[in-house]
Amino acid sequence: MFVDTTLRDGHQSLIATRMRTLDMLPALSSMDQLNFDAMEVWGGATFDVCVRFLKENPWERIKIIKKNLKNTKTQMLLRGQNLVGYRHYADDVVELFVKKAVENGVEKIRIFDALNDIRNLEKSIEVALETGVHVQGAISYTISPVHTIEYYLNFARQLVERGVHSLCIKDMAGLLTPKMSYELIRQLKKEFSIPIEIHTHCTSGLGSMNYIAAVEAGVDFLDTALSPFALGTSQPPFESLYYSVKEYRKLPEIDWKNIEFLVGHFKKVREKYREYDVGMTSIDYRILVSQVPGGMYSNLVKQLSEQKMLHKLSEVLEEIPRVRKELGYPPLVTPTSQIVGVQAVLNVITGERYSKVTNEVKNYLKGMYGRPPAPIDKELIRKILGNEKPIECRPADLLEPEVEAARKNIGILASNDEELLIYIILGEVGRKYLKEKYEERILVDLNLAEEFGGGYPI
């Protein structure tokens, strides 16, 4: 009934994804005993943050976690053609990445596209299905004049037609209401025979209410986090949901002493990263208007704080829905959350809307991220693109194969396909990381050679 998000979305939403693998290890065995259907432990922002800030190898993380989970499926979040990055990658990169993710221990892949553009999902779904893992198609949920129940049912049909094993309603901003949650789940269960999962955030205070409504409508799985990494901008807490759902479903018993240990452990972990903590002690009603998802909110607060502009947060939250409407009501999830959020910040800070425009907004207007749910403001297109016409084809169709060119470019710094993918996905950040790791290996070899009197082969 439950999928745990503590080790991915929980800390991504609350402490900017800063939890290290070392902090996860003591909890894995105990979490494995809680009868979760799966644990979301990889993907999303974890790949980038592992490399960019933690100097960890994300491939090693998934291997370590998989080795320590005997009863629970490992789950990752994949951004369709964007994989775990911020742009569309060529099809050969998608194929290599998905296969390597499965080889290294991923057993369930949740695949979504920020715009719900099925063209951006087809390749990753196809490759994932070939590997034999559980493939879940996710529906990015938002509110707008075009995002109706029929809109979501139509997108779900497209996912089911492509062979996904289950569906997920991905409510990244916590905008679902209990009534909508009930109706949407009920309609999905009525039309499709595959399992339905629901994922939400507590930012606006609606999370647990939505889950109970979803249970009453027949939902199969709920995404929750252990309480130290629940609530706020994260998911509803496992403990209280488990206690409540037992009145609706027959659930396996859990060891509350085990829960006590895990809660104590993760309280200490969260305190360890308090400098990154979003520090949200109550709900934020403004989210019902701005529709800012959990991970975006925590990073937005941090970015404005670093620029000593946190006092502008209210103005930015008011500007975000205006920008979103002009861009055709994209759901606010990576990468569109960053596209809309950064542009809203620029509009507020500069004092003149769109006087400074990011390259990401320009590419979005050109259609390089996919087809928006609704038409983009024509005046905005004219102002930014001039006479240039947006593309009509699948964005990835314009991309040349990348893998072999990148292999030549990175050379000996990448010792395997996993390291090659770090470079492809993260560019110069990945190159810098691989260079540092390569130099460390050389230093180790030199020290060993000296220890063995020059007889150790380098």
Side-chain angles (χ1 to χ4, degrees):
M1 184 71 206
F2 294 94
V3 170
D4 181 77
T5 65
T6 307
L7 303 185
R8 204 288 296 175
D9 204 7
H11 74 108
Q12 179 172 324
S13 294
L14 295 175
I15 57 169
T17 331
R18 290 310 199 274
M19 194 191 303
R20 295 180 176 275
T21 307
L22 189 66
D23 299 309
M24 302 176 183
L25 273 171
L28 293 176
S29 177
S30 294
M31 295 178 79
D32 196 32
Q33 298 171 34
L34 291 178
N35 299 300
F36 296 129
D37 178 72
M39 285 169 53
E40 187 184 71
V41 297
W42 210 61
T46 62
F47 195 93
D48 184 338
V49 174
C50 269
V51 174
R52 189 185 302 267
F53 299 115
L54 306 182
K55 307 305 178 186
E56 288 189 12
N57 187 326
W59 299 102
E60 289 299 319
R61 173 178 289 188
I62 185 59
K63 283 193 288 189
I64 290 169
I65 292 174
K66 170 56 185 166
K67 184 178 179 180
N68 283 274
L69 295 182
K70 309 300 181 185
N71 309 307
T72 314
K73 290 195 291 287
T74 50
Q75 177 175 314
M76 78 163 294
L77 181 68
L78 191 82
R79 301 168 185 153
Q81 205 73 27
N82 287 8
L83 298 175
V84 288
Y86 308 100
R87 66 172 176 88
H88 280 189
Y89 299 93
D91 286 342
D92 63 338
V93 178
V94 173
E95 185 169 349
L96 182 61
F97 183 90
V98 172
K99 288 180 177 178
K100 287 297 172 181
V102 174
E103 284 180 23
N104 282 273
V106 172
E107 297 170 293
K108 178 181 175 184
I109 304 180
R110 175 178 295 169
I111 305 176
F112 79 97
D113 177 64
L115 298 175
N116 289 325
D117 187 340
I118 196 65
R119 302 172 305 168
N120 294 336
L121 297 171
E122 288 171 330
K123 184 63 179 179
S124 51
I125 289 174
E126 173 193 331
V127 178
L129 287 171
E130 289 173 357
T131 68
V133 297
H134 183 104
V135 182
Q136 184 176 82
I139 303 164
S140 296
Y141 181 83
T142 190
I143 296 172
S144 83
V146 299
H147 288 92
T148 62
I149 284 184
E150 185 51 46
Y151 168 92
Y152 291 121
L153 289 174
N154 180 59
F155 183 59
R157 289 185 201 106
Q158 296 177 62
L159 290 168
V160 172
E161 286 168 2
R162 281 150 182 85
V164 299
H165 301 120
S166 63
L167 293 168
C168 175
I169 300 170
K170 182 175 171 58
D171 176 27
M172 55 279 171
L175 295 171
L176 270 170
T177 60
K179 182 179 180 181
M180 185 63 171
S181 179
Y182 181 88
E183 287 298 324
L184 187 50
I185 295 291
R186 190 173 67 86
Q187 291 294 333
L188 288 169
K189 293 293 293 182
K190 183 178 179 180
E191 183 157 346
F192 306 110
S193 59
I194 61 176
I196 310 296
E197 188 166 334
I198 187 169
H199 173 97
T200 192
H201 291 252
C202 297
T203 323
S204 62
L206 297 171
S208 294
M209 289 186 281
N210 282 311
Y211 277 7
I212 295 302
V215 169
E216 291 180 340
V219 77
D220 298 284
F221 297 104
L222 304 173
D223 281 12
T224 58
L226 292 169
S227 54
F229 279 98
L231 300 172
T233 50
S234 180
Q235 280 72 61
F238 167 70
E239 299 93 316
S240 56
L241 261 298
Y242 171 86
Y243 191 80
S244 300
V245 173
K246 281 189 69 175
E247 294 185 342
Y248 294 86
R249 308 275 178 89
K250 183 175 176 58
L251 299 177
E253 293 297 324
I254 61 172
D255 183 352
W256 288 97
K257 284 289 184 183
N258 197 16
I259 293 289
E260 184 179 0
F261 163 74
L262 289 169
V263 168
H265 171 72
F266 283 118
K267 279 184 177 179
K268 292 175 184 176
V269 171
R270 186 166 178 182
E271 176 62 20
K272 178 179 176 181
Y273 297 99
R274 61 185 178 276
E275 65 179 296
Y276 302 103
D277 202 308
V278 68
M280 190 173 183
T281 58
S282 181
I283 70 163
D284 193 331
Y285 69 91
R286 295 172 296 182
I287 304 308
L288 296 170
V289 177
S290 67
Q291 302 188 18
V292 176
M296 178 183 177
Y297 185 88
S298 60
N299 282 301
L300 189 65
V301 169
K302 182 167 177 57
Q303 289 163 10
L304 288 172
S305 297
E306 288 173 348
Q307 299 174 50
K308 303 191 185 307
M309 299 289 285
L310 192 56
H311 61 284
K312 294 284 188 180
L313 179 60
S314 293
E315 290 179 59
V316 171
L317 291 177
E318 290 173 5
E319 177 65 7
I320 284 172
R322 288 195 287 266
V323 173
R324 179 172 172 264
K325 178 181 179 181
E326 290 159 348
L327 295 184
Y329 294 110
L332 292 181
V333 63
T334 302
T336 51
S337 55
Q338 286 83 356
I339 293 171
V340 172
V342 172
Q343 189 58 54
V345 170
L346 287 175
N347 287 357
V348 169
I349 290 176
T350 60
E352 183 181 348
R353 305 184 75 239
Y354 300 106
S355 61
K356 185 176 180 181
V357 178
T358 66
N359 287 329
E360 288 74 20
V361 167
K362 291 176 184 176
N363 286 330
Y364 176 90
L365 296 179
K366 292 176 185 177
M368 301 306 293
Y369 288 92
R371 186 183 297 118
I376 299 172
D377 184 89
K378 291 181 180 179
E379 286 302 315
L380 186 61
I381 293 177
R382 197 160 24 243
K383 178 178 181 178
I384 296 173
L385 297 186
N387 295 324
E388 187 176 357
K389 298 294 183 185
I391 66 170
E392 295 292 336
C393 65
R394 181 182 80 121
D397 288 342
L398 301 176
L399 301 176
E400 295 292 332
E402 296 183 61
V403 171
E404 292 312 313
R407 197 186 303 278
K408 292 178 182 177
N409 198 344
I410 196 64
I412 59 174
L413 295 185
S415 62
N416 52 43
D417 284 340
E418 286 82 355
E419 290 187 345
L420 173 64
L421 285 163
I422 288 175
Y423 168 60
I424 293 174
I425 290 169
L426 298 177
E428 288 307 307
V429 170
R431 179 192 288 275
K432 181 181 178 184
Y433 168 83
L434 294 173
K435 184 173 183 292
E436 291 171 355
K437 292 299 178 185
Y438 178 77
E439 290 171 349
E440 287 176 9
R441 287 197 295 266
I442 292 295
L443 186 59
V444 168
D445 285 343
L446 288 172
N447 289 337
L448 284 171
E450 182 177 345
E451 182 180 342
F452 283 90
Y456 185 82
I458 297 177

mmCIF file of all heavy atoms in Angstrom, residues 141 169 171 173-183 185 198-202 204-217 219 222 236 241 288:
data_model
loop_
_atom_site.group_PDB
_atom_site.id
_atom_site.type_symbol
_atom_site.label_atom_id
_atom_site.label_comp_id
_atom_site.label_asym_id
_atom_site.label_seq_id
_atom_site.Cartn_x
_atom_site.Cartn_y
_atom_site.Cartn_z
ATOM 1 N N TYR A 141 0.296 16.660 -12.306
ATOM 2 C CA TYR A 141 -0.980 17.300 -11.967
ATOM 3 C C TYR A 141 -0.795 18.784 -11.706
ATOM 4 O O TYR A 141 0.152 19.214 -11.038
ATOM 5 C CB TYR A 141 -1.600 16.641 -10.734
ATOM 6 C CG TYR A 141 -2.929 17.247 -10.355
ATOM 7 C CD1 TYR A 141 -4.098 16.843 -10.986
ATOM 8 C CD2 TYR A 141 -3.009 18.267 -9.401
ATOM 9 C CE1 TYR A 141 -5.324 17.420 -10.671
ATOM 10 C CE2 TYR A 141 -4.228 18.853 -9.075
ATOM 11 C CZ TYR A 141 -5.378 18.421 -9.721
ATOM 12 O OH TYR A 141 -6.585 19.011 -9.411
ATOM 13 N N ILE A 169 -0.509 9.628 -10.127
ATOM 14 C CA ILE A 169 -0.878 11.049 -10.149
ATOM 15 C C ILE A 169 0.210 11.783 -9.385
ATOM 16 O O ILE A 169 0.376 11.590 -8.176
ATOM 17 C CB ILE A 169 -2.244 11.286 -9.482
ATOM 18 C CG1 ILE A 169 -3.338 10.499 -10.211
ATOM 19 C CG2 ILE A 169 -2.580 12.777 -9.475
ATOM 20 C CD1 ILE A 169 -4.653 10.483 -9.465
ATOM 21 N N ASP A 171 1.279 14.957 -7.943
ATOM 22 C CA ASP A 171 0.815 16.282 -7.499
ATOM 23 C C ASP A 171 1.964 16.997 -6.795
ATOM 24 O O ASP A 171 2.017 17.072 -5.571
ATOM 25 C CB ASP A 171 -0.395 16.101 -6.577
ATOM 26 C CG ASP A 171 -0.895 17.407 -5.998
ATOM 27 O OD1 ASP A 171 -0.706 18.460 -6.639
ATOM 28 O OD2 ASP A 171 -1.462 17.377 -4.884
ATOM 29 N N ALA A 173 2.915 20.048 -6.397
ATOM 30 C CA ALA A 173 2.734 21.290 -5.649
ATOM 31 C C ALA A 173 1.709 21.167 -4.527
ATOM 32 O O ALA A 173 1.479 22.127 -3.793
ATOM 33 C CB ALA A 173 2.317 22.422 -6.600
ATOM 34 N N GLY A 174 1.089 20.006 -4.386
ATOM 35 C CA GLY A 174 0.089 19.838 -3.341
ATOM 36 C C GLY A 174 -1.190 20.584 -3.639
ATOM 37 O O GLY A 174 -1.789 21.202 -2.754
ATOM 38 N N LEU A 175 -1.644 20.505 -4.890
ATOM 39 C CA LEU A 175 -2.812 21.266 -5.320
ATOM 40 C C LEU A 175 -4.096 20.444 -5.367
ATOM 41 O O LEU A 175 -5.182 20.999 -5.507
ATOM 42 C CB LEU A 175 -2.552 21.869 -6.712
ATOM 43 C CG LEU A 175 -1.440 22.908 -6.770
ATOM 44 C CD1 LEU A 175 -1.123 23.270 -8.211
ATOM 45 C CD2 LEU A 175 -1.825 24.153 -5.994
ATOM 46 N N LEU A 176 -3.967 19.133 -5.291
ATOM 47 C CA LEU A 176 -5.159 18.296 -5.266
ATOM 48 C C LEU A 176 -6.035 18.652 -4.064
ATOM 49 O O LEU A 176 -5.536 18.939 -2.984
ATOM 50 C CB LEU A 176 -4.768 16.828 -5.166
ATOM 51 C CG LEU A 176 -4.547 16.030 -6.450
ATOM 52 C CD1 LEU A 176 -3.936 14.687 -6.111
ATOM 53 C CD2 LEU A 176 -5.846 15.855 -7.221
ATOM 54 N N THR A 177 -7.337 18.614 -4.264
ATOM 55 C CA THR A 177 -8.287 18.716 -3.164
ATOM 56 C C THR A 177 -8.881 17.335 -2.929
ATOM 57 O O THR A 177 -8.835 16.477 -3.818
ATOM 58 C CB THR A 177 -9.417 19.702 -3.499
ATOM 59 O OG1 THR A 177 -10.103 19.213 -4.666
ATOM 60 C CG2 THR A 177 -8.858 21.097 -3.768
ATOM 61 N N PRO A 178 -9.432 17.062 -1.756
ATOM 62 C CA PRO A 178 -10.020 15.740 -1.514
ATOM 63 C C PRO A 178 -11.068 15.343 -2.557
ATOM 64 O O PRO A 178 -11.102 14.205 -3.011
ATOM 65 C CB PRO A 178 -10.632 15.881 -0.120
ATOM 66 C CG PRO A 178 -9.775 16.915 0.546
ATOM 67 C CD PRO A 178 -9.418 17.886 -0.533
ATOM 68 N N LYS A 179 -11.904 16.276 -2.960
ATOM 69 C CA LYS A 179 -12.935 15.957 -3.948
ATOM 70 C C LYS A 179 -12.308 15.579 -5.284
ATOM 71 O O LYS A 179 -12.694 14.590 -5.918
ATOM 72 C CB LYS A 179 -13.900 17.135 -4.126
ATOM 73 C CG LYS A 179 -15.013 16.835 -5.118
ATOM 74 C CD LYS A 179 -15.977 18.002 -5.265
ATOM 75 C CE LYS A 179 -17.079 17.652 -6.265
ATOM 76 N NZ LYS A 179 -18.033 18.769 -6.449
ATOM 77 N N MET A 180 -11.326 16.370 -5.732
ATOM 78 C CA MET A 180 -10.673 16.090 -7.007
ATOM 79 C C MET A 180 -9.886 14.791 -6.927
ATOM 80 O O MET A 180 -9.854 14.001 -7.876
ATOM 81 C CB MET A 180 -9.743 17.246 -7.383
ATOM 82 C CG MET A 180 -9.120 17.097 -8.765
ATOM 83 S SD MET A 180 -10.364 17.103 -10.065
ATOM 84 C CE MET A 180 -9.331 17.198 -11.530
ATOM 85 N N SER A 181 -9.243 14.568 -5.807
ATOM 86 C CA SER A 181 -8.498 13.336 -5.602
ATOM 87 C C SER A 181 -9.428 12.130 -5.739
ATOM 88 O O SER A 181 -9.120 11.159 -6.444
ATOM 89 C CB SER A 181 -7.842 13.338 -4.217
ATOM 90 O OG SER A 181 -7.136 12.143 -3.980
ATOM 91 N N TYR A 182 -10.574 12.197 -5.086
ATOM 92 C CA TYR A 182 -11.541 11.099 -5.135
ATOM 93 C C TYR A 182 -12.046 10.887 -6.557
ATOM 94 O O TYR A 182 -12.061 9.752 -7.064
ATOM 95 C CB TYR A 182 -12.714 11.402 -4.195
ATOM 96 C CG TYR A 182 -13.754 10.308 -4.174
ATOM 97 C CD1 TYR A 182 -13.645 9.230 -3.296
ATOM 98 C CD2 TYR A 182 -14.843 10.342 -5.042
ATOM 99 C CE1 TYR A 182 -14.591 8.212 -3.284
ATOM 100 C CE2 TYR A 182 -15.798 9.335 -5.043
ATOM 101 C CZ TYR A 182 -15.670 8.277 -4.167
ATOM 102 O OH TYR A 182 -16.600 7.270 -4.171
ATOM 103 N N GLU A 183 -12.437 11.961 -7.210
ATOM 104 C CA GLU A 183 -13.024 11.838 -8.549
ATOM 105 C C GLU A 183 -12.013 11.335 -9.572
ATOM 106 O O GLU A 183 -12.324 10.483 -10.410
ATOM 107 C CB GLU A 183 -13.590 13.190 -9.004
ATOM 108 C CG GLU A 183 -14.869 13.601 -8.310
ATOM 109 C CD GLU A 183 -16.012 12.623 -8.579
ATOM 110 O OE1 GLU A 183 -16.096 12.078 -9.704
ATOM 111 O OE2 GLU A 183 -16.807 12.383 -7.653
ATOM 112 N N ILE A 185 -9.178 9.582 -9.043
ATOM 113 C CA ILE A 185 -8.851 8.177 -8.772
ATOM 114 C C ILE A 185 -9.999 7.267 -9.202
ATOM 115 O O ILE A 185 -9.794 6.215 -9.833
ATOM 116 C CB ILE A 185 -8.543 7.963 -7.273
ATOM 117 C CG1 ILE A 185 -7.276 8.713 -6.861
ATOM 118 C CG2 ILE A 185 -8.410 6.471 -6.960
ATOM 119 C CD1 ILE A 185 -5.997 8.170 -7.431
ATOM 120 N N ILE A 198 -0.683 7.489 -5.910
ATOM 121 C CA ILE A 198 -0.841 8.938 -5.762
ATOM 122 C C ILE A 198 0.350 9.506 -4.995
ATOM 123 O O ILE A 198 0.829 8.912 -4.024
ATOM 124 C CB ILE A 198 -2.181 9.294 -5.068
ATOM 125 C CG1 ILE A 198 -2.401 10.811 -5.075
ATOM 126 C CG2 ILE A 198 -2.251 8.729 -3.664
ATOM 127 C CD1 ILE A 198 -3.806 11.212 -4.648
ATOM 128 N N HIS A 199 0.823 10.640 -5.479
ATOM 129 C CA HIS A 199 1.981 11.320 -4.895
ATOM 130 C C HIS A 199 1.604 12.788 -4.712
ATOM 131 O O HIS A 199 1.148 13.440 -5.651
ATOM 132 C CB HIS A 199 3.173 11.194 -5.852
ATOM 133 C CG HIS A 199 4.378 11.988 -5.443
ATOM 134 N ND1 HIS A 199 5.438 11.426 -4.757
ATOM 135 C CD2 HIS A 199 4.707 13.299 -5.620
ATOM 136 C CE1 HIS A 199 6.368 12.345 -4.547
ATOM 137 N NE2 HIS A 199 5.931 13.492 -5.054
ATOM 138 N N THR A 200 1.786 13.296 -3.502
ATOM 139 C CA THR A 200 1.465 14.701 -3.270
ATOM 140 C C THR A 200 2.461 15.299 -2.291
ATOM 141 O O THR A 200 3.363 14.625 -1.785
ATOM 142 C CB THR A 200 0.028 14.865 -2.736
ATOM 143 O OG1 THR A 200 -0.341 16.250 -2.797
ATOM 144 C CG2 THR A 200 -0.094 14.383 -1.296
ATOM 145 N N HIS A 201 2.317 16.592 -2.042
ATOM 146 C CA HIS A 201 3.139 17.326 -1.072
ATOM 147 C C HIS A 201 2.216 18.051 -0.102
ATOM 148 O O HIS A 201 1.080 18.383 -0.442
ATOM 149 C CB HIS A 201 4.054 18.326 -1.790
ATOM 150 C CG HIS A 201 5.141 17.669 -2.590
ATOM 151 N ND1 HIS A 201 6.461 17.693 -2.223
ATOM 152 C CD2 HIS A 201 5.086 16.960 -3.743
ATOM 153 C CE1 HIS A 201 7.183 17.031 -3.114
ATOM 154 N NE2 HIS A 201 6.370 16.574 -4.051
ATOM 155 N N CYS A 202 2.722 18.323 1.079
ATOM 156 C CA CYS A 202 1.898 18.911 2.143
ATOM 157 C C CYS A 202 2.002 20.433 2.204
ATOM 158 O O CYS A 202 1.491 21.042 3.152
ATOM 159 C CB CYS A 202 2.316 18.323 3.493
ATOM 160 S SG CYS A 202 2.038 16.549 3.613
ATOM 161 N N SER A 204 0.556 22.951 0.952
ATOM 162 C CA SER A 204 -0.661 23.734 1.138
ATOM 163 C C SER A 204 -1.557 23.181 2.237
ATOM 164 O O SER A 204 -2.623 23.750 2.514
ATOM 165 C CB SER A 204 -1.445 23.774 -0.177
ATOM 166 O OG SER A 204 -1.828 22.462 -0.547
ATOM 167 N N GLY A 205 -1.173 22.043 2.846
ATOM 168 C CA GLY A 205 -1.942 21.481 3.945
ATOM 169 C C GLY A 205 -2.997 20.470 3.545
ATOM 170 O O GLY A 205 -3.769 20.008 4.386
ATOM 171 N N LEU A 206 -3.033 20.095 2.258
ATOM 172 C CA LEU A 206 -4.093 19.212 1.774
ATOM 173 C C LEU A 206 -3.686 17.739 1.675
ATOM 174 O O LEU A 206 -4.519 16.881 1.402
ATOM 175 C CB LEU A 206 -4.556 19.682 0.383
ATOM 176 C CG LEU A 206 -5.178 21.071 0.303
ATOM 177 C CD1 LEU A 206 -5.372 21.490 -1.149
ATOM 178 C CD2 LEU A 206 -6.504 21.103 1.051
ATOM 179 N N GLY A 207 -2.405 17.445 1.890
ATOM 180 C CA GLY A 207 -1.876 16.125 1.579
ATOM 181 C C GLY A 207 -2.600 14.939 2.181
ATOM 182 O O GLY A 207 -3.090 14.059 1.469
ATOM 183 N N SER A 208 -2.668 14.866 3.501
ATOM 184 C CA SER A 208 -3.268 13.694 4.151
ATOM 185 C C SER A 208 -4.753 13.575 3.848
ATOM 186 O O SER A 208 -5.285 12.460 3.707
ATOM 187 C CB SER A 208 -3.039 13.763 5.662
ATOM 188 O OG SER A 208 -1.659 13.644 5.963
ATOM 189 N N MET A 209 -5.445 14.706 3.722
ATOM 190 C CA MET A 209 -6.865 14.664 3.368
ATOM 191 C C MET A 209 -7.053 14.026 1.999
ATOM 192 O O MET A 209 -7.970 13.221 1.779
ATOM 193 C CB MET A 209 -7.455 16.082 3.371
ATOM 194 C CG MET A 209 -7.596 16.698 4.747
ATOM 195 S SD MET A 209 -8.463 18.281 4.686
ATOM 196 C CE MET A 209 -7.146 19.369 4.131
ATOM 197 N N ASN A 210 -6.179 14.381 1.067
ATOM 198 C CA ASN A 210 -6.264 13.810 -0.279
ATOM 199 C C ASN A 210 -6.032 12.308 -0.269
ATOM 200 O O ASN A 210 -6.654 11.565 -1.027
ATOM 201 C CB ASN A 210 -5.230 14.478 -1.196
ATOM 202 C CG ASN A 210 -5.684 15.842 -1.650
ATOM 203 O OD1 ASN A 210 -6.803 16.014 -2.105
ATOM 204 N ND2 ASN A 210 -4.820 16.823 -1.519
ATOM 205 N N TYR A 211 -5.102 11.864 0.573
ATOM 206 C CA TYR A 211 -4.794 10.440 0.617
ATOM 207 C C TYR A 211 -5.974 9.624 1.135
ATOM 208 O O TYR A 211 -6.273 8.539 0.624
ATOM 209 C CB TYR A 211 -3.552 10.200 1.473
ATOM 210 C CG TYR A 211 -2.245 10.410 0.727
ATOM 211 C CD1 TYR A 211 -2.228 10.930 -0.567
ATOM 212 C CD2 TYR A 211 -1.033 10.090 1.315
ATOM 213 C CE1 TYR A 211 -1.034 11.113 -1.248
ATOM 214 C CE2 TYR A 211 0.180 10.262 0.638
ATOM 215 C CZ TYR A 211 0.166 10.781 -0.638
ATOM 216 O OH TYR A 211 1.347 10.953 -1.320
ATOM 217 N N ILE A 212 -6.652 10.116 2.151
ATOM 218 C CA ILE A 212 -7.809 9.389 2.664
ATOM 219 C C ILE A 212 -8.911 9.347 1.607
ATOM 220 O O ILE A 212 -9.564 8.312 1.404
ATOM 221 C CB ILE A 212 -8.327 10.029 3.966
ATOM 222 C CG1 ILE A 212 -7.277 9.897 5.077
ATOM 223 C CG2 ILE A 212 -9.640 9.382 4.394
ATOM 224 C CD1 ILE A 212 -6.862 8.468 5.380
ATOM 225 N N ALA A 213 -9.112 10.458 0.903
ATOM 226 C CA ALA A 213 -10.103 10.470 -0.182
ATOM 227 C C ALA A 213 -9.703 9.487 -1.278
ATOM 228 O O ALA A 213 -10.551 8.800 -1.844
ATOM 229 C CB ALA A 213 -10.231 11.884 -0.753
ATOM 230 N N ALA A 214 -8.405 9.412 -1.568
ATOM 231 C CA ALA A 214 -7.914 8.495 -2.596
ATOM 232 C C ALA A 214 -8.123 7.044 -2.173
ATOM 233 O O ALA A 214 -8.484 6.190 -2.989
ATOM 234 C CB ALA A 214 -6.432 8.760 -2.867
ATOM 235 N N VAL A 215 -7.904 6.765 -0.887
ATOM 236 C CA VAL A 215 -8.125 5.407 -0.372
ATOM 237 C C VAL A 215 -9.601 5.038 -0.525
ATOM 238 O O VAL A 215 -9.952 3.924 -0.941
ATOM 239 C CB VAL A 215 -7.676 5.299 1.097
ATOM 240 C CG1 VAL A 215 -8.140 3.979 1.712
ATOM 241 C CG2 VAL A 215 -6.158 5.415 1.189
ATOM 242 N N GLU A 216 -10.479 5.967 -0.202
ATOM 243 C CA GLU A 216 -11.912 5.702 -0.337
ATOM 244 C C GLU A 216 -12.310 5.478 -1.798
ATOM 245 O O GLU A 216 -13.271 4.760 -2.084
ATOM 246 C CB GLU A 216 -12.710 6.865 0.257
ATOM 247 C CG GLU A 216 -12.585 6.960 1.774
ATOM 248 C CD GLU A 216 -13.369 8.113 2.366
ATOM 249 O OE1 GLU A 216 -13.692 9.061 1.607
ATOM 250 O OE2 GLU A 216 -13.649 8.079 3.580
ATOM 251 N N ALA A 217 -11.536 6.077 -2.730
ATOM 252 C CA ALA A 217 -11.818 5.907 -4.157
ATOM 253 C C ALA A 217 -11.172 4.653 -4.725
ATOM 254 O O ALA A 217 -11.409 4.317 -5.887
ATOM 255 C CB ALA A 217 -11.350 7.139 -4.926
ATOM 256 N N VAL A 219 -7.590 3.802 -4.481
ATOM 257 C CA VAL A 219 -6.189 3.908 -4.898
ATOM 258 C C VAL A 219 -5.388 2.702 -4.385
ATOM 259 O O VAL A 219 -5.713 2.135 -3.337
ATOM 260 C CB VAL A 219 -5.557 5.227 -4.388
ATOM 261 C CG1 VAL A 219 -5.222 5.142 -2.906
ATOM 262 C CG2 VAL A 219 -4.350 5.614 -5.213
ATOM 263 N N LEU A 222 0.114 4.677 -1.895
ATOM 264 C CA LEU A 222 0.297 6.037 -1.391
ATOM 265 C C LEU A 222 1.789 6.305 -1.213
ATOM 266 O O LEU A 222 2.504 5.477 -0.663
ATOM 267 C CB LEU A 222 -0.389 6.220 -0.038
ATOM 268 C CG LEU A 222 -1.880 5.915 0.069
ATOM 269 C CD1 LEU A 222 -2.317 6.009 1.529
ATOM 270 C CD2 LEU A 222 -2.687 6.877 -0.790
ATOM 271 N N PRO A 236 3.028 13.399 2.932
ATOM 272 C CA PRO A 236 2.397 13.086 4.216
ATOM 273 C C PRO A 236 3.198 12.026 4.968
ATOM 274 O O PRO A 236 3.914 11.231 4.357
ATOM 275 C CB PRO A 236 1.015 12.557 3.808
ATOM 276 C CG PRO A 236 0.741 13.190 2.481
ATOM 277 C CD PRO A 236 2.084 13.227 1.805
ATOM 278 N N LEU A 241 -0.532 7.879 8.392
ATOM 279 C CA LEU A 241 -1.309 7.317 7.285
ATOM 280 C C LEU A 241 -1.480 5.813 7.454
ATOM 281 O O LEU A 241 -2.561 5.265 7.205
ATOM 282 C CB LEU A 241 -0.641 7.638 5.955
ATOM 283 C CG LEU A 241 -1.206 8.842 5.168
ATOM 284 C CD1 LEU A 241 -2.666 8.615 4.791
ATOM 285 C CD2 LEU A 241 -1.055 10.127 5.942
ATOM 286 N N LEU A 288 -1.496 27.702 -2.929
ATOM 287 C CA LEU A 288 -2.738 27.432 -3.639
ATOM 288 C C LEU A 288 -2.894 28.357 -4.838
ATOM 289 O O LEU A 288 -3.635 28.050 -5.774
ATOM 290 C CB LEU A 288 -3.932 27.589 -2.688
ATOM 291 C CG LEU A 288 -3.957 26.592 -1.517
ATOM 292 C CD1 LEU A 288 -5.030 26.987 -0.520
ATOM 293 C CD2 LEU A 288 -4.175 25.184 -2.039
#
